[in-house]
Amino acid sequence: MAGRRFSLLRLFRRKKEEESPGAAPAQQPEEVQQVQPPQEDAGQERTEEQLRARGRFRRAAQTFMKFMGSRRRKARITPADVQAQPDTIPTQLTKPDVSTASTAVPAKCDTATSDLTTHWDTTSTDDVSHCDSVLPGLTEEADATTTEGVASTDAAPVQRLADTPSLEFLEERAVSAEVAITPDGDMQQRPPTVPKLAWVKEEEKEESPRAAPTQQPEEVQQVQPPQEDAGQERTEEQLRARGRFRRAAQLVCRFIRCIWHEEATFMATGDTVNLDLFNAQTSAALLDMLVENGVYKAKQVPAIVRCIHQWLTSNVSDEHRLDKTLVLLTEEHPMDVAVTLLRSAPACNRAARTMWKTLISSRWTKEPVLQILFRVLEYWPAHRRRTSDGDERDVFALAATVALWEILQLSHSWCPGGVKDNFPRLLLTLLFQVFISTEEMSEEVETFWRRCREQRSLPPNPNRFAVQTVKALLRQLLGEDVLMVIGRKCGWDMLLKADSHHYAVGLLARELCRVSHSFCRSIAISLLPRLSRGEPLWELPALAFLVEVLHCLNPRQCGPSVLQIISRHLRSQCPERRRLALRGLVVLSRDPAMAKSMRSLSESLLELLQDADTDTVQMTLSAFINMLHFQIVIISTPTALKLLEALRPLFDNEHSQLQQLSMLLFWELMEATERSKSLKPHVYLSLVPFYFNWHNENQRVAEASWRALFGAARFLKWRDLEDLVTMEQPWRFPECLLEKDRSRVGQYVRQALPFLESPEKPLRKLAIKFLGIAARSMKQEQPELQLICQALQDMTDDSPAVSNLAQETLHIIRAVRRTSFFPFW
């Protein structure tokens, strides 16, 4: 009965419209005025309508994507089954008048949708297949469904529409996209009992009025529950869902064509396609739908990334609209997203900054994106990386530097965990960029940087920007104090000069050690592989950093590799590298295990004792002393002989530090060397210098001389000499020495003569006394006696105390010699 009333009501309405065709348009304005209350703010009303339209569009797009997934799982209905089912769609309804329908979608979206609707009516199966080639998983379903829809549009059953949407209606004639997208507008123009339709087939107007009532009661009784308006409402919802689905399918297909066209255009010309064909909300919704449902090919990822960047560039107020889409895309294709973003926005404009911040803020994309960024940073000047669309253009390391700087600026109140974990790697890479961009600048790097400066305000030179990035990194992790200390010591200025760059790196390493040993330890461990590979370009600054942080390392773990690096640089032709290697060797030699391993470097160290550079000789002496101090290393006799010969000139060196270290090394050598007759002559010749330096005004030199003299007496097994040194009776030393070894008196005299010209007055007096004692034990014919007399006679210009002592000693010598020549007198 309910179905009969429904059919009669529909037939009555049709007859009424045929009798008075102009009645409806005359009453529509009144209905609109009665239903809609007066609005105070028209702009606010439009905004709410746009939001509702946007929500309806998104739900329709989601319905479309769900349909494509369900089509894979459900079996397709054959044409015979479709024709056998009764048609429950009312065919006698009049097409609504849409002349005054309100629009809730912006103008661009309306125009685009109307064009799409008209275009779809004339689209062939080949066009759909072409679109499906860009839409994975859509080819077979869309082709078959579209062709079936054209053949069986009139027989589409209600039951299948209720369960699974179909593409059969995509070939139907639509009224207007404006009315279709805003289906609520035409409800105000019809009586409340007339179902609201978005479109009606053109052929339904020409059907006879008797055809519909003959079958509709049975269909309603079979399908719908026995309620008066239940079937009518369900049919209305099906038609409205079908219309939204159709329009969503049209927009999706055309948007995918646009993405495909953007990819092809970019690969051919390098230009991007303007997405103004769709308005902001429509294009963003379509991008969301494509990525969330995975309706894209891997080779289209770079094109989608460029579209997202273009959308964010054009839409300033809604910059976080596509955050979820970008994160989902990056989770699946991190390399393509990061590399494409570096290529598309190397200067990192506002839209690129928003995208980087989104990727770094997500815990799912932060780590892979940072690792890709760090990898690009390490390849200077550019890194060749192939994306899924076949693009093999270089990605400049400076583009990654700009992106990293922006990330550090965006996270001023927090430091990304990936940045903190990779701090050693980042710091070393940025310091290398500072050095290489200062040392040499290729033409391609200059061109790239000039283009970046045209897009935004950047420093004139890349090395200055790299220094800014280093400061930002240190500020994030260590605070502002480190930056201020380095600035006060002119470290940042030295960092920008090629000849002082390694000094600045060493200064930075010392300040880092003062703040955090753990950071320095991790940096040193990161440096070892680079120095082991022997990269000559940044080897000197890297070695300077390593030497400063060696004390933070465990020598037993890293010692062998460090020792290998240092041994290579000991033979370098660069004086600065040799000095740095010796500094590192001094640090390593303080460990007993490393001191034993350094025995193989004895020959190289002996050669460096002959170097003219005072610092080099000083560090070599220190390394030898540390090696022998633990008494683990036994020096062979040939090596000991070479070492004694190299040390002898240093006992009288004008630098007190060299004097002290050389005497300490002699003492250590006496303790670590087996007694051998071949060594005794060299030990004898060392006694006189030790005796004079025992009276040195420099207390450290005097103490070192006392130790060396004691070690020599023990080595020679001179008990008397050892006792007077122990009891500290220096005045007895000349007589004891000259009495025990009369054969070398001439050599001892020649060693004492230079001390007559010593700048220290006590040493000049001591030399005069020593020569007077030696002259008494010399023979008349010895030439050294004449040398003594001549030297004492020439000291008349010295101070009165010294000159008087010299004259008295000369008078005594002459008197003694006369007595010895005429013994009977």
Side-chain angles (χ1 to χ4, degrees):
M1 188 66 181
R4 182 178 180 182
R5 285 199 300 268
F6 174 73
S7 302
L8 293 176
L9 181 61
R10 186 171 53 182
L11 181 60
F12 174 75
R13 188 179 298 112
R14 179 175 180 182
K15 291 181 179 182
K16 185 177 180 179
E17 290 178 358
E18 290 177 358
E19 293 175 359
S20 56
Q27 296 178 358
Q28 285 177 358
E30 296 181 0
E31 294 180 2
V32 174
Q33 294 177 2
Q34 293 174 2
V35 176
Q36 296 181 352
Q39 303 278 344
E40 295 182 0
D41 191 354
Q44 180 179 1
E45 176 186 359
R46 286 194 300 270
T47 303
E48 295 175 355
E49 292 177 352
Q50 291 172 358
L51 292 176
R52 289 197 300 270
R54 171 181 168 185
R56 288 191 296 273
F57 172 78
R58 183 174 181 84
R59 290 191 296 272
Q62 292 174 351
T63 303
F64 173 77
M65 300 316 303
K66 292 179 180 178
F67 162 74
M68 298 317 302
S70 64
R71 292 286 293 176
R72 298 187 179 94
R73 297 187 298 268
K74 294 187 178 182
R76 184 172 301 164
I77 301 176
T78 61
D81 297 335
V82 173
Q83 293 178 2
Q85 295 177 357
D87 188 6
T88 61
I89 302 177
T91 58
Q92 301 300 325
L93 297 180
T94 307
K95 182 190 299 185
D97 188 1
V98 297
S99 58
T100 61
S102 61
T103 60
V105 182
K108 289 183 179 180
C109 184
D110 297 339
T111 307
T113 313
S114 301
D115 295 341
L116 291 173
T117 307
T118 307
H119 172 73
W120 186 271
D121 294 332
T122 57
T123 301
S124 62
T125 307
D126 297 335
D127 293 333
V128 178
S129 301
H130 173 71
C131 176
D132 293 336
S133 66
V134 188
L135 192 61
L138 193 64
T139 306
E140 298 178 0
E141 289 82 359
D143 265 341
T145 310
T146 305
T147 53
E148 290 175 7
V150 174
S152 60
T153 301
D154 297 335
V158 176
Q159 291 84 348
R160 190 176 62 170
L161 285 173
D163 296 334
T164 303
S166 174
L167 286 176
E168 295 171 350
F169 52 84
L170 292 181
E171 292 299 329
E172 296 177 355
R173 185 73 60 184
V175 176
S176 172
E178 298 178 357
V179 181
I181 295 180
T182 59
D184 295 336
D186 54 24
M187 284 294 294
Q188 302 167 3
Q189 303 172 14
R190 291 190 301 271
T193 57
V194 180
K196 172 187 148 189
L197 296 177
W199 66 81
V200 182
K201 295 182 182 180
E202 296 284 347
E203 294 81 359
E204 289 180 354
K205 287 186 178 182
E206 300 176 0
E207 293 181 356
S208 92
R210 305 173 186 173
T214 56
Q215 296 181 359
Q216 283 179 357
E218 299 177 0
E219 295 174 2
V220 173
Q221 293 175 3
Q222 294 177 3
V223 179
Q224 301 179 359
Q227 296 181 4
E228 182 176 355
D229 295 333
Q232 180 180 354
E233 293 176 358
R234 183 174 301 177
T235 305
E236 176 187 353
E237 288 298 328
Q238 292 169 355
L239 292 176
R240 289 166 60 184
R242 178 197 287 183
R244 289 193 298 268
F245 175 72
R246 176 191 178 190
R247 291 186 296 277
Q250 293 171 349
L251 283 175
V252 168
C253 293
R254 188 158 185 189
F255 188 81
I256 294 175
R257 285 196 188 99
C258 184
I259 294 293
W260 180 85
H261 182 56
E262 198 278 343
E263 175 191 350
T265 305
F266 184 81
M267 294 301 297
T269 64
D271 299 328
T272 57
V273 174
N274 189 2
L275 292 181
D276 287 342
L277 174 64
F278 308 93
N279 68 354
Q281 299 300 335
T282 304
S283 56
L286 288 171
L287 284 170
D288 287 342
M289 182 195 63
L290 289 178
V291 176
E292 290 178 11
N293 295 276
V295 189
Y296 61 88
K297 290 183 179 179
K299 68 177 183 179
Q300 293 170 335
V301 173
I304 296 176
V305 174
R306 288 189 290 269
C307 289
I308 294 175
H309 179 261
Q310 181 183 352
W311 192 93
L312 292 174
T313 304
S314 304
N315 297 271
V316 180
S317 59
D318 198 10
E319 61 180 9
H320 296 289
R321 170 67 177 80
L322 295 173
D323 285 0
K324 182 179 179 182
T325 301
L326 181 61
V327 170
L328 291 176
L329 189 67
T330 309
E331 288 180 14
E332 297 295 331
H333 309 276
M335 178 64 70
D336 285 345
V337 173
V339 172
T340 304
L341 187 54
L342 290 174
R343 286 173 178 165
S344 303
C348 204
N349 57 6
R350 181 197 58 80
R353 286 196 298 270
T354 302
M355 296 175 71
W356 285 119
K357 183 178 181 180
T358 301
L359 297 178
I360 298 303
S361 301
S362 173
R363 63 174 182 173
W364 307 110
T365 59
K366 174 179 61 178
E367 186 63 26
V369 168
L370 284 177
Q371 292 301 323
I372 295 169
L373 202 63
F374 300 159
R375 198 176 309 145
V376 175
L377 272 172
E378 292 176 340
Y379 288 87
W380 180 270
H383 178 46
R384 184 172 295 275
R385 173 65 63 177
R386 179 187 177 91
T387 50
S388 57
D389 60 350
D391 191 357
E392 296 182 351
R393 292 178 301 148
D394 291 338
V395 183
F396 282 88
L398 284 174
T401 305
V402 176
L404 177 62
W405 186 82
E406 291 292 349
I407 290 172
L408 294 174
Q409 296 302 312
L410 291 171
S411 57
H412 61 277
S413 59
W414 59 277
C415 183
V419 174
K420 186 175 182 180
D421 297 339
N422 293 271
F423 171 73
R425 178 182 179 184
L426 280 177
L427 181 62
L428 295 178
T429 303
L430 292 173
L431 289 176
F432 171 75
Q433 276 196 11
V434 175
F435 174 78
I436 193 62
S437 57
T438 303
E439 187 76 15
E440 57 181 20
M441 277 285 290
S442 60
E443 183 178 354
E444 59 177 350
V445 175
E446 291 181 354
T447 303
F448 170 80
W449 192 248
R450 185 170 58 254
R451 291 177 180 175
C452 291
R453 293 190 63 203
E454 292 173 356
Q455 300 179 20
R456 59 176 296 185
S457 177
L458 292 172
N461 299 320
N463 59 348
R464 293 190 177 275
F465 185 79
V467 170
Q468 289 184 8
T469 310
V470 172
K471 291 181 179 180
L473 181 63
L474 294 177
R475 186 181 296 109
Q476 284 284 345
L477 297 173
L478 303 178
E480 193 72 28
D481 294 340
V482 177
L483 304 182
M484 295 177 63
V485 172
I486 297 175
R488 283 196 298 266
K489 297 179 180 180
C490 303
W492 303 120
D493 295 332
M494 289 192 298
L495 206 60
L496 294 172
K497 299 177 182 178
D499 55 347
S500 61
H501 179 82
H502 62 283
Y503 291 113
V505 172
L507 173 63
L508 177 62
R510 287 194 297 272
E511 294 303 322
L512 289 179
C513 288
R514 184 177 60 86
V515 176
S516 174
H517 280 257
S518 60
F519 276 143
C520 294
R521 188 181 304 111
S522 57
I523 293 173
I525 294 175
S526 300
L527 268 177
L528 292 179
R530 299 190 179 200
L531 288 170
S532 300
R533 292 193 297 266
E535 300 176 356
L537 204 55
W538 200 62
E539 200 165 22
L540 182 59
L543 189 61
F545 198 104
L546 177 64
V547 169
E548 295 292 344
V549 300
L550 266 180
H551 63 279
C552 301
L553 292 176
N554 186 353
R556 299 179 184 273
Q557 295 178 355
C558 306
S561 57
V562 174
L563 193 61
Q564 182 181 4
I565 295 170
I566 288 178
S567 62
R568 185 177 73 251
H569 289 284
L570 281 177
R571 299 183 292 270
S572 174
Q573 298 299 322
C574 176
E576 194 62 37
R577 293 188 183 186
R578 290 198 302 268
R579 284 194 291 268
L580 290 173
L582 282 170
R583 287 184 58 191
L585 206 59
V586 171
V587 177
L588 290 177
S589 61
R590 295 169 185 167
D591 184 80
M594 294 306 303
K596 187 175 182 180
S597 302
M598 288 170 56
R599 183 179 179 181
S600 59
L601 301 178
S602 300
E603 293 296 330
S604 300
L605 293 175
L606 282 172
E607 295 178 2
L608 292 176
L609 285 176
Q610 312 296 329
D611 199 280
D613 183 62
T614 303
D615 293 336
T616 300
V617 177
Q618 179 179 336
M619 288 184 289
T620 304
L621 291 172
S622 300
F624 265 125
I625 292 172
N626 293 339
M627 287 172 56
L628 301 178
H629 176 71
F630 299 102
Q631 298 182 0
I632 298 175
V633 179
I634 302 298
I635 302 297
S636 62
T637 301
T639 304
L641 284 173
K642 294 178 182 179
L643 188 56
L644 288 174
E645 292 176 357
L647 287 177
R648 194 186 309 160
L650 300 176
F651 296 152
D652 302 327
N653 196 280
E654 59 182 358
H655 294 90
S656 60
Q657 187 72 15
L658 293 182
Q659 283 183 298
Q660 176 190 356
L661 292 175
S662 61
M663 294 175 189
L664 290 176
L665 179 57
F666 180 90
W667 175 60
E668 296 288 352
L669 183 62
M670 294 297 98
E671 298 293 332
T673 306
E674 297 179 356
R675 290 177 174 84
S676 175
K677 292 183 179 180
S678 59
L679 297 178
K680 287 186 177 181
H682 297 278
V683 177
Y684 288 140
L685 296 178
S686 303
L687 296 176
V688 173
F690 294 157
Y691 167 71
F692 281 100
N693 285 315
W694 190 5
H695 298 79
N696 198 298
E697 293 180 350
N698 190 319
Q699 190 63 29
R700 294 183 178 181
V701 175
E703 184 178 353
S705 300
W706 177 85
R707 290 190 176 186
L709 191 59
F710 180 80
R714 175 180 288 186
F715 182 83
L716 295 173
K717 295 183 179 181
W718 286 1
R719 186 69 180 176
D720 298 341
L721 186 61
E722 185 178 349
D723 290 342
L724 68 88
V725 172
T726 304
M727 292 184 293
E728 296 186 0
Q729 298 175 349
W731 60 88
R732 293 177 50 196
F733 179 80
E735 295 179 358
C736 181
L737 176 64
L738 297 174
E739 183 181 353
K740 279 190 170 292
D741 193 7
R742 290 181 177 271
S743 62
R744 294 185 177 85
V745 173
Q747 294 179 354
Y748 296 152
V749 169
R750 291 179 181 276
Q751 286 180 319
L753 285 174
F755 287 96
L756 293 174
E757 300 177 357
S758 174
E760 300 180 16
K761 184 178 178 179
L763 289 182
R764 293 198 300 271
K765 289 182 177 181
L766 189 64
I768 292 173
K769 294 178 181 180
F770 183 89
L771 292 175
I773 297 173
R776 287 184 300 177
S777 61
M778 295 180 67
K779 296 181 180 180
Q780 184 70 28
E781 64 274 7
Q782 285 185 274
E784 287 81 8
L785 183 61
Q786 298 297 325
L787 293 176
I788 293 175
C789 295
Q790 185 66 36
L792 294 177
Q793 189 175 357
D794 294 341
M795 295 189 68
T796 55
D797 297 335
D798 207 325
S799 65
V802 176
S803 60
N804 292 336
L805 180 62
Q807 292 301 322
E808 292 176 1
T809 304
L810 182 60
H811 180 72
I812 294 173
I813 292 174
R814 287 176 178 176
V816 172
R817 298 310 301 171
R818 283 195 300 268
T819 303
S820 63
F821 185 73
F822 301 103
F824 54 89
W825 289 1

